[in-house]
Amino acid sequence: MYKWQKMFSLTDKYSHEKTESYWQLQRQNDLVESITKFSQLNTNKAKNVIIFIGDGMSIGTTTAGRVYMGQKLGKNGEEHTTTLDQFPHVGTAKTYSVNKQTPDSAATATAILTGVKTANEVIGMTPATNCTNNQDVETVLEKAAKLGKSTGVVTTTRIQHATPASAYAHIPQRRWFSQVGARSGCKDIAQQLFDKRNDIQVLLGGGRVHMHGATDTDVLDEFGNNVSGDRIGSDQNLIQRWKDAFGDNVTNLYVNNKEELNSVAPETTDYLLGLFAGKEMEYRLSNTPRSQVQPTLPEMVEKAVKILRKNEKGFFLLVEGGMIDKAHHKTLVKYALEEFSEFDKAVQVAKQLTSDDDTLIIATADHGHVFTFGNDGPRGRSFSNVMTNQNQRWNTIGRYFSNTAYGNGPNFNPPAWKIMAGAKRQAESNEYQPLTAIKRAGETHSAEDVIVYASGPMSHLITGVHEQTYIAEVVSHAACLGNNADDLEHCRVSA
């Protein structure tokens, strides 16, 4: 069999794609769909707003994630369509911060949620700021709460981490999760979270350790064991104080595992605090006992939306798929793509539980990673495969190739057992780490633009290339959160 015949034999189940008529019909259908979407722009008022942030979700991640998800369904993968792919309006956002070409999550999430760019490490403040000079910038969550809307924050990282904290906190150092290490005069992130308890109806994620003291004996982990926190001094159990603040009212609940979350009745629950891990939640591929008792991101989003949507004035919800970023930093590519899959499923849940008529959904990333997807491989190449002598040249130092790689990271010079045959065995595991071009202990963020997806009221404004701050402006405009709301025609009409 000739080489070109082998190439086509790999895609026999897609023989229909070899005809001109197939592609003609596909492109014509796409055009009709696009004409319909753009001829009927949704200019309604956004009663509800959901912002999804895939932490570290670069365009390489969304593309590789699409193929990964498709292959799990038995397809080649490239032709698969994700929930994000189906959003009608798409643009890109510049991610640089005020002081760095390559940003962090604090600066980028602050830009998305406040409309103001700041410096790396800073949350909810201008760059030239400290804890006493009143340089806080208002977030879209805080604006929504002022208007009587319900609000929520859902994440797979700790609830005090940079991205979720950017919805409610104002602090010059993102790592001041608790009073331990916080500079004198600064209120730590967990304390700020507690102080906002009446304005945030749903809080779901990790971060239990920052919510109670080292000497507490009444806080249990997801397995029912006593755990210690990192807060110092008396009356530092913020979990117990959260419970006490709402009294014995059964409509206000604290949960710490999947079973307890499943038992929550949205129709009778007004306030819900769920802390499912001491710090970050587990990767979905980790398959540890702890991961089995933690809810998934789609499950948390479902519960949050069902609770928040009871408010006749509407709601604002921030959702972070935070473990995409954590996996990329470790160059655990399969972990990152599984987290992307969970993120996409969570977006699908939100779409199913809301209506495009009154709910603006924006899905984007805070920043990307130096992650690449592609190589000279055939259609449908698995993420468990490495290149061999039969289908790919080896480089001069004998290292293997795969369809993913990182610009920097820990797997720069793999040990001998990973070379040749060993590379294939290692690639078949979930812990597979692709090669990196530059040696570093951990992989870094990228400085690239990120994709912004949008659906619902005013979603057509998400198009072209903009600063990340533009996202906050679109949200304020669509949901009538700004000071000029009374001057806008769509704001004078009920959603």
Side-chain angles (χ1 to χ4, degrees):
M1 183 180 292
Y2 291 106
K3 184 177 180 180
W4 64 269
Q5 290 175 312
K6 291 181 179 179
M7 178 181 69
F8 281 114
S9 69
L10 291 174
T11 57
D12 279 346
K13 64 179 179 179
Y14 292 96
S15 58
H16 57 284
E17 294 184 5
K18 300 175 186 177
T19 65
E20 180 180 359
S21 59
Y22 168 80
W23 296 108
Q24 180 183 33
L25 180 61
Q26 185 193 68
R27 66 177 185 259
Q28 289 174 345
N29 288 340
D30 284 350
L31 180 61
V32 170
E33 184 177 352
S34 294
I35 290 173
T36 302
K37 289 176 181 176
F38 285 97
S39 63
Q40 299 175 349
L41 297 181
N42 185 343
T43 58
N44 295 342
K45 175 182 177 180
K47 176 182 176 181
N48 313 310
V49 176
I50 306 176
I51 296 182
F52 283 88
I53 298 180
D55 199 325
M57 190 180 71
S58 61
I59 190 169
T61 305
T62 60
T63 306
R66 175 195 300 134
V67 176
Y68 175 84
M69 292 175 68
Q71 290 181 355
K72 289 180 67 176
L73 295 173
K75 306 176 183 179
N76 272 344
E78 295 85 358
E79 74 291 345
H80 180 65
T81 300
T82 66
T83 302
L84 293 175
D85 291 335
Q86 299 171 50
F87 272 52
H89 304 289
V90 180
T92 62
K94 304 174 186 178
T95 63
Y96 68 92
S97 68
V98 167
N99 68 327
K100 294 287 185 178
Q101 186 177 69
T102 300
D104 76 339
S105 294
T108 51
T110 293
I112 293 170
L113 296 170
T114 72
V116 175
K117 279 196 182 251
T118 191
N120 281 20
E121 309 285 334
V122 178
I123 291 176
M125 292 176 155
T126 62
T129 191
N130 56 52
C131 296
T132 59
N133 66 1
N134 196 29
Q135 293 297 310
D136 296 357
V137 284
E138 192 173 34
T139 74
V140 289
L141 180 147
E142 291 169 332
K143 291 179 180 179
K146 281 184 177 179
L147 294 178
K149 294 180 181 291
S150 294
T151 69
V153 178
V154 174
T155 180
T156 50
T157 65
R158 65 194 87 187
I159 201 76
Q160 307 89 355
H161 215 272
T163 299
S166 295
Y168 62 83
H170 307 273
I171 199 163
Q173 175 45 253
R174 57 177 285 180
R175 291 178 177 82
W176 292 345
F177 305 121
S178 68
Q179 69 199 106
V180 178
R183 183 179 299 172
S184 177
C186 292
K187 188 178 292 186
D188 63 82
I189 296 172
Q191 181 65 55
Q192 292 189 47
L193 177 62
F194 172 75
D195 291 346
K196 295 277 177 64
R197 62 191 179 278
N198 292 312
D199 293 332
I200 308 177
Q201 282 68 29
V202 177
L203 290 161
L204 301 175
R208 189 190 307 111
V209 68
H210 307 306
M211 296 293 284
H212 64 93
T215 60
D216 293 341
T217 59
D218 55 349
V219 177
L220 305 179
D221 67 10
E222 57 269 40
F223 296 106
N225 302 315
N226 284 324
V227 292
S228 60
D230 63 3
R231 306 188 69 81
I232 298 173
S234 61
D235 199 28
Q236 288 300 322
N237 186 338
L238 299 184
I239 297 175
Q240 187 59 50
R241 289 175 60 189
W242 187 92
K243 295 178 183 178
D244 294 341
F246 293 110
D248 296 326
N249 192 332
V250 294
T251 64
N252 310 301
L253 301 173
Y254 168 70
V255 296
N256 68 1
N257 60 47
K258 180 175 181 175
E259 183 179 2
E260 291 181 353
L261 180 67
N262 288 341
S263 68
V264 172
E267 60 276 8
T268 59
T269 302
D270 296 327
Y271 287 84
L272 177 63
L273 172 63
L275 300 176
F276 308 107
K279 294 182 180 178
E280 272 66 63
M281 294 175 67
E282 296 287 297
Y283 295 111
R284 295 318 304 170
L285 278 184
S286 63
N287 197 30
T288 63
R290 196 171 298 277
S291 70
Q292 303 305 312
V293 298
Q294 292 178 354
T296 65
L297 185 62
E299 289 169 342
M300 291 191 289
V301 167
E302 179 178 1
K303 195 69 68 173
V305 172
K306 286 182 177 180
I307 291 173
L308 297 174
R309 69 182 182 183
K310 295 182 300 182
N311 189 336
E312 293 182 356
K313 295 182 179 180
F315 67 85
F316 171 85
L317 175 63
L318 171 67
V319 180
E320 182 202 22
M323 299 305 285
I324 300 172
D325 175 78
K326 301 294 184 182
H328 274 321
H329 279 307
K330 296 179 179 180
T331 65
L332 291 170
V333 60
K334 294 180 185 177
Y335 280 63
L337 299 184
E338 184 67 22
E339 294 299 319
F340 168 79
S341 175
E342 289 292 296
F343 181 82
D344 191 74
K345 292 174 185 176
V347 176
Q348 182 181 34
V349 167
K351 291 283 290 180
Q352 292 171 341
L353 294 176
T354 58
S355 169
D356 279 345
D357 291 339
D358 64 3
T359 303
L360 171 64
I361 298 181
I362 294 177
T364 186
D366 45 359
H367 56 74
H369 276 265
V370 291
F371 168 72
T372 61
F373 172 58
N375 212 311
D376 189 19
R379 172 93 175 262
R381 174 172 290 282
S382 168
F383 291 88
S384 295
N385 288 343
V386 295
M387 306 301 180
T388 68
N389 283 328
Q390 283 70 44
N391 54 36
Q392 176 67 48
R393 295 187 185 94
W394 300 88
N395 68 12
T396 56
I397 59 174
R399 294 193 295 174
Y400 58 87
F401 292 86
S402 67
N403 56 5
T404 57
Y406 288 90
N408 57 53
N411 202 24
F412 169 72
N413 190 18
W417 69 268
K418 289 187 179 180
I419 305 298
M420 312 293 276
K424 180 171 174 27
R425 290 195 300 270
Q426 196 261 351
E428 290 173 349
S429 74
N430 288 335
E431 286 69 35
Y432 170 57
Q433 293 176 292
L435 291 178
T436 61
I438 299 172
K439 186 177 182 179
R440 286 183 61 99
E443 181 265 358
T444 69
H445 298 168
S446 71
E448 298 168 343
D449 294 358
V450 294
I451 301 181
V452 188
Y453 306 86
S455 67
M458 301 294 175
S459 59
H460 56 278
L461 299 176
I462 299 294
T463 185
V465 181
H466 295 277
E467 300 285 356
Q468 276 184 315
T469 55
Y470 178 71
I471 297 173
E473 191 67 17
V474 170
V475 170
S476 291
H477 175 82
C480 304
L481 305 180
N483 295 327
N484 66 332
D486 292 340
D487 298 330
L488 303 175
E489 181 178 354
H490 73 280
C491 295
R492 295 193 293 267
V493 180
S494 297

